[in-house]
Amino acid sequence: MYKIVRKAILNPSVVLMDIEAPYIARKAEPGQFIIFRIDEAGERIPLTIADYDREKGTVTIIFQIVGKTTRVLAEMNEGQTLLDFVGPLGVASHLEGYKKVAVIGGGLGTAIAYPQAKKLHGLGAEVHSITGFRNRELIILEKEMEAVSHKLIVATDDGSNGNKGFVTNVLKQLIEEGNKYDLVIAIGPLVMMRAVSNMTREYGIKTLVSMNPIMIDGTGMCGGCRLTVGGKTKFACVDGPDFDGHEVDFDEAMRRQGMYKKHENQSTEIHVCKLGGVTNA
Amino acid sequence: MPNMALNKVKMPEQNPDIRNKNFQEVALGYDEAMAAEEAQRCLNCKHKPCVAGCPVNVKIPEFIQLVAEGKFEEAYLKIRETNSLPAVCGRVCPQETQCEQLCVRAKKGESVGIGRLERFVADWYMANCSSQEEKPESNGIKVAVVGSGPSGLTCAGDLAKLGYEVTIFEAFHVPGGVLMYGIPEFRLPKALVQKEIQTVRTLGVDIQTNMVIGKVLSIDDLREEGFKAVFIGSGAGLPSFMGIPGENLNGVYSANEFLTRINLMSAYKFPNTDTPVFVGKNVAVVGGGNVAMDAARSAKRLGAENVYIIYRRSEAEMPARLEEVHHAKEEGIILKVLTNPKQILGTEDGWVKGMECVEMELGEPDKSGRRRPVEKKGSEHVVELETVIIAIGQSPNPLIASTTPGLDVQSWGGIIVEEETGATSKGGVYAGGDAVTGAATVILAMGAGKKAAEAMDKYIRQQSQK
């Protein structure tokens, strides 16, 4: 059993939790992920590690409420336990040897971009971070990102924070202003990672994206997380989750992401109905 | 006087048209009278050829004698002397190519139903007795077992009986390995697997789940933490794909994924459980082994109307057990043999809509001795499908090999061991089961776990004398 030792609501649909998992905290590195399961009937859900504290023995996860499982998790509180929590899975990001890096987080992706920015900052790279959200209410980790970046630009789609625009525009502007990045890290929705990758391809800047497809075991056993990268089939769980953004077949990844849409809706509806039943009783 | 009937006492089964709509066990097992009657078919021969055919050397004539005498509890304990998982073995062992193949009675008529009797004894014991096994006196020496499938459980059980403090590390959230994620409920009920694992726990074996060795701890970490020897029984978890166009379309599964969703994650109970599985009206399973049969029969149970087994050789060459092929056919699975997939066809939005196949004919025998299938020109045709399940094999998972310096593996991933002992190229590290052989049977894995336990005991004794 894995205890929730801290819970913080970062925005109306994004929650942070520190989970007690000393073995994982000891080995975790940026770019790796965990898989959790809430209870006996639960599904296995992968989440990229947002942070870890080796001394306290905790692993931080940040998740968005999108389906039944994340909704149930968000309803849980400090002191409660998760039945299963396994990791650290996947290959850690290779961040050594870069001088100047643009780290881009789109929405929830900021939670995964954060440990990368932190690590790069710690390794002495010049870090320019760009985060993007739909509106001001959804902004997360602004202070944290600021602390590990030489420059942080937060953009909103609707301009409600006073800085309207998409992360791609911001990146383009920074590049046009003469910033020479030897690496771009883009983490967020597939459309956003595709847009960034398409743009950096023109500039010839190496770009890493973090893929988070549907998976079960996370150890290479099921192959459900397969992607096409550079024309070859790769398993996100053991070959990734980081991949060269210029090589990833994003269209296929988007299609595969939608494989269980109908099932997810059904599962969520039933859960919401049951909740309704409890409140009414 | 022995019972000289030529055939085994029939074991009752669920009617095929009923069972292909539920996940309850297909075979219903003997009752006491049937078991006693079948046990009397054993001639109790002096040279016991059957025992040599068993990878864990179950004392077959002895336990059968006890069954014939109605001493079922004693019979169980007799089996348990060499076999930690009798209820599992009684169900999934290919007895027809092992113990039963060597049975004297098989020379004229059917062999003694050794598997059926083993199953009866194990089930009877679970229903009527509570385990009296106790934790043996500890010798205080820690050993680690990686993986809680058949080889790991056997190795752990045997080492615990010798007094070792055994810890099993399991990557999944429940122990059992392929017994839990791979073999379907209707062939091997999961509650029964857990009961059998419980008997291994009563020997003092500690099972730690959610521990992916190679990630959270390496083999070297385990040695540093004081485990005097390590057994790797991590199975063959890496699914093979065909490398044909369309394999990443929505609706294409590896058999591993399809079966794991259904067995381990109970997707057949969705939405009462949270893991879904997608089964279309028309399903094709590519492959001819037991895993292919399991996947096809599971798809049928989940409501598919037409389920095809697509296999490039003929039925005679299928590696699946005869019994499984027979059960599959009874349940309405359609065998499309001498047929090979060329490509999977998709709709505009990326879902499977069919598979282009070509007919095959058998040519000259190949290296494996089986006649090699060759394409029949101009026989390309399309089978309409919504789901394709690829069951053409699994190879060992590279997670451990890639994080264990000094551990030698074959080019295809199998860990290289000394056959008699399971010793790897790394001192104190042993391996067995599918991680060594590639996908094979439960009982072979158990045999390997058993041998390794003996060798590990010897190794540790030698080390302590130094």
Side-chain angles (χ1 to χ4, degrees):
Chain A
M1 300 291 260
Y2 305 81
K3 197 155 108 190
I4 302 167
V5 292
R6 183 168 75 102
K7 176 184 178 184
I9 312 244
L10 301 189
N11 79 28
S13 68
V14 174
V15 179
L16 172 151
M17 284 180 177
D18 286 347
I19 310 292
E20 198 172 70
Y23 276 103
I24 305 174
R26 238 197 272 170
K27 283 277 178 89
E29 291 290 341
Q32 291 188 294
F33 66 97
I34 57 90
I35 286 182
F36 75 89
R37 196 172 72 121
I38 294 177
D39 56 31
E40 267 316 318
E43 58 185 330
R44 291 169 66 96
I45 300 273
L47 283 178
T48 309
I49 293 169
D51 206 353
Y52 43 83
D53 187 324
R54 304 212 198 278
E55 271 157 36
K56 282 193 198 143
T58 58
V59 172
T60 305
I61 52 171
I62 298 180
F63 59 94
Q64 186 151 18
I65 302 167
V66 285
K68 182 198 163 183
T69 301
T70 43
R71 190 178 284 264
V72 174
L73 183 61
E75 286 156 10
M76 294 177 75
N77 287 306
E78 287 170 9
Q80 287 185 284
T81 53
L82 302 180
L83 185 58
D84 299 299
F85 198 77
V86 56
L89 301 168
V91 181
S93 305
H94 299 293
L95 301 174
E96 285 79 13
Y98 294 103
K99 290 198 186 75
K100 188 166 178 173
V101 183
V103 179
I104 307 173
L108 183 74
T110 306
I112 306 152
Y114 168 69
Q116 316 248 4
K118 188 175 165 184
K119 178 103 186 189
L120 284 161
H121 191 261
L123 289 168
E126 183 178 347
V127 178
H128 290 182
S129 296
I130 307 164
T131 59
F133 303 91
R134 284 207 311 280
N135 61 54
R136 195 175 59 176
E137 274 68 50
L138 300 179
I139 295 174
I140 58 170
L141 301 176
E142 193 170 3
K143 259 191 263 164
E144 288 83 353
M145 283 303 269
E146 208 172 336
V148 297
S149 309
H150 298 85
K151 185 197 276 279
L152 169 68
I153 299 168
V154 182
T156 47
D157 298 0
D158 68 352
S160 53
N161 74 333
N163 187 21
K164 189 175 157 114
F166 294 114
V167 290
T168 35
N169 308 133
V170 179
L171 177 65
K172 194 175 180 90
Q173 200 183 331
L174 287 172
I175 295 170
E176 299 286 316
E177 281 169 10
N179 287 293
K180 294 243 180 293
Y181 300 114
D182 45 7
L183 176 70
V184 170
I185 295 177
I187 303 173
L190 291 167
V191 273
M192 169 255 172
M193 294 195 286
R194 180 175 62 183
V196 171
S197 299
N198 284 341
M199 206 196 95
T200 55
R201 187 183 287 117
E202 287 170 25
Y203 291 100
I205 308 172
K206 181 176 175 185
T207 301
L208 282 182
V209 296
S210 177
M211 304 299 284
N212 187 20
I214 296 167
M215 57 177 76
I216 303 178
D217 59 293
T219 62
M221 208 201 84
C222 79
C225 65
R226 58 197 190 277
L227 306 161
T228 302
V229 182
K232 291 198 181 106
T233 294
K234 297 276 176 186
F235 289 3
C237 64
V238 287
D239 299 320
D242 287 354
F243 290 101
D244 181 342
H246 298 156
E247 299 275 329
V248 172
D249 182 341
F250 284 103
D251 295 341
E252 180 189 271
M254 280 179 220
R255 244 180 30 222
R256 291 186 62 82
Q257 199 69 10
M259 180 150 169
Y260 297 102
K261 269 270 145 44
K262 271 188 215 154
H263 293 91
E264 279 163 30
N265 293 341
Q266 189 186 357
S267 204
T268 308
E269 269 165 37
I270 292 171
H271 175 67
V272 174
C273 286
K274 279 188 191 155
L275 280 183
V278 172
T279 339
N280 295 339
Chain B
M1 263 301 285
N3 168 0
M4 291 311 290
L6 288 182
N7 293 322
K8 293 175 185 173
V9 174
K10 266 199 158 347
M11 178 159 62
E13 287 178 350
Q14 272 198 80
N15 179 301
D17 277 337
I18 295 172
R19 74 180 191 235
N20 66 11
K21 294 167 194 74
N22 70 51
F23 274 84
Q24 281 143 39
E25 211 178 350
V26 168
L28 302 172
Y30 282 159
D31 61 21
E32 292 184 13
M34 293 171 188
E37 191 188 335
E38 181 61 25
Q40 276 153 13
R41 292 186 65 234
C42 175
L43 302 176
N44 206 357
C45 1
K46 273 213 180 78
H47 64 305
K48 302 171 192 174
C50 49
V51 178
C54 173
V56 297
N57 304 122
V58 167
K59 297 173 179 167
I60 295 166
E62 287 155 272
F63 100 75
I64 292 182
Q65 196 57 42
L66 290 162
V67 175
E69 291 166 17
K71 295 178 179 163
F72 304 134
E73 185 173 356
E74 287 88 340
Y76 175 81
L77 296 173
K78 186 56 72 185
I79 299 174
R80 283 276 300 172
E81 284 178 22
T82 62
N83 183 350
S84 314
L85 309 169
V88 170
C89 290
R91 286 170 167 81
V92 302
C93 268
Q95 290 98 9
E96 65 280 8
T97 59
Q98 298 181 347
C99 54
E100 292 185 8
Q101 191 181 31
L102 300 173
C103 176
V104 170
R105 294 295 306 263
K107 287 182 184 152
K108 195 177 167 208
E110 288 183 338
S111 73
V112 174
I114 301 170
R116 294 175 183 187
L117 288 170
E118 181 178 36
R119 170 194 162 126
F120 163 78
V121 168
D123 289 1
W124 187 93
Y125 185 86
M126 282 190 197
N128 295 291
C129 304
S130 56
S131 173
Q132 299 147 1
E133 264 167 304
E134 282 171 18
K135 184 177 185 282
E137 198 181 326
S138 167
N139 64 14
I141 301 170
K142 281 178 22 173
V143 291
V145 170
V146 180
S148 61
S151 71
L153 288 170
T154 302
C155 184
D158 281 14
L159 286 167
K161 282 183 195 164
L162 294 170
Y164 290 95
E165 297 280 336
V166 188
T167 306
I168 299 184
F169 296 95
E170 165 57 43
F172 264 130
H173 52 262
V174 283
V178 72
L179 307 174
M180 290 304 288
Y181 73 74
I183 305 175
E185 179 77 17
F186 55 83
R187 278 217 289 141
L188 183 64
K190 302 305 146 213
L192 188 144
V193 175
Q194 289 308 312
K195 267 194 182 173
E196 213 134 77
I197 292 174
Q198 196 50 43
T199 63
V200 178
R201 280 202 178 98
T202 56
L203 295 169
V205 173
D206 176 31
I207 305 180
Q208 296 204 12
T209 53
N210 294 327
M211 294 294 276
V212 181
I213 300 304
K215 284 290 170 187
V216 71
L217 290 171
S218 66
I219 299 290
D220 289 336
D221 289 338
L222 291 175
R223 294 303 299 277
E224 274 168 36
E225 290 203 358
F227 292 99
K228 294 292 176 210
V230 180
F231 175 77
I232 304 170
S234 50
L238 197 71
S240 305
F241 288 89
M242 293 178 288
I244 60 171
E247 276 185 308
N248 290 354
L249 288 163
N250 288 6
V252 182
Y253 287 104
S254 71
N256 259 4
E257 178 179 4
F258 187 73
L259 290 170
T260 300
R261 283 178 177 270
I262 296 167
N263 301 328
L264 184 77
M265 307 308 295
S266 304
Y268 64 96
K269 297 178 189 158
F270 183 87
N272 292 321
T273 54
D274 295 336
T275 305
V277 66
F278 174 77
V279 178
K281 207 170 106 181
N282 303 290
V283 177
V285 180
V286 181
N290 289 325
V291 173
M293 300 302 144
D294 286 346
R297 296 169 71 195
S298 297
K300 188 79 185 176
R301 281 163 172 74
L302 288 167
E305 278 175 32
N306 302 304
V307 181
Y308 308 98
I309 294 267
I310 309 243
Y311 182 58
R312 64 197 181 114
R313 301 178 197 250
S314 75
E315 193 180 329
E317 282 89 22
M318 276 192 174
R321 289 179 71 186
L322 276 182
E323 183 182 314
E324 302 305 325
V325 179
H326 168 73
H327 277 150
K329 288 208 268 194
E330 272 188 346
E331 289 169 13
I333 309 297
I334 305 153
L335 301 190
K336 265 179 79 73
V337 295
L338 289 167
T339 303
N340 204 30
K342 299 283 278 183
Q343 61 170 323
I344 304 170
L345 308 165
T347 60
E348 269 175 27
D349 52 356
W351 289 78
V352 172
K353 68 171 183 187
M355 186 154 68
E356 188 193 318
C357 298
V358 62
E359 288 175 26
M360 311 292 278
E361 50 198 355
L362 293 179
E364 295 301 306
D366 62 12
K367 268 188 289 177
S368 73
R370 296 183 295 180
R371 289 175 65 193
R372 201 167 67 87
V374 284
E375 286 187 8
K376 247 197 239 174
K377 287 238 163 63
S379 66
E380 287 82 0
H381 59 285
V382 171
V383 188
E384 270 180 48
L385 301 165
E386 293 82 36
T387 305
V388 174
I389 301 162
I390 301 175
I392 56 168
Q394 301 90 237
S395 51
N397 194 309
L399 267 188
I400 290 180
S402 64
T403 53
T404 310
L407 186 72
D408 291 348
V409 295
Q410 315 268 9
S411 55
W412 49 270
I415 299 174
I416 297 172
V417 300
E418 208 181 272
E419 189 166 341
E420 275 316 298
T421 60
T424 68
S425 55
K426 204 172 163 81
V429 179
Y430 294 74
D434 287 3
V436 168
T437 57
T441 62
V442 167
I443 191 68
L444 283 176
M446 291 177 64
K450 198 167 207 47
K451 273 192 214 161
E454 258 182 62
M456 288 162 80
D457 176 47
K458 222 182 254 172
Y459 166 82
I460 292 169
R461 284 168 191 276
Q462 278 167 2
Q463 291 293 308
S464 61
Q465 279 166 7
K466 276 183 190 167

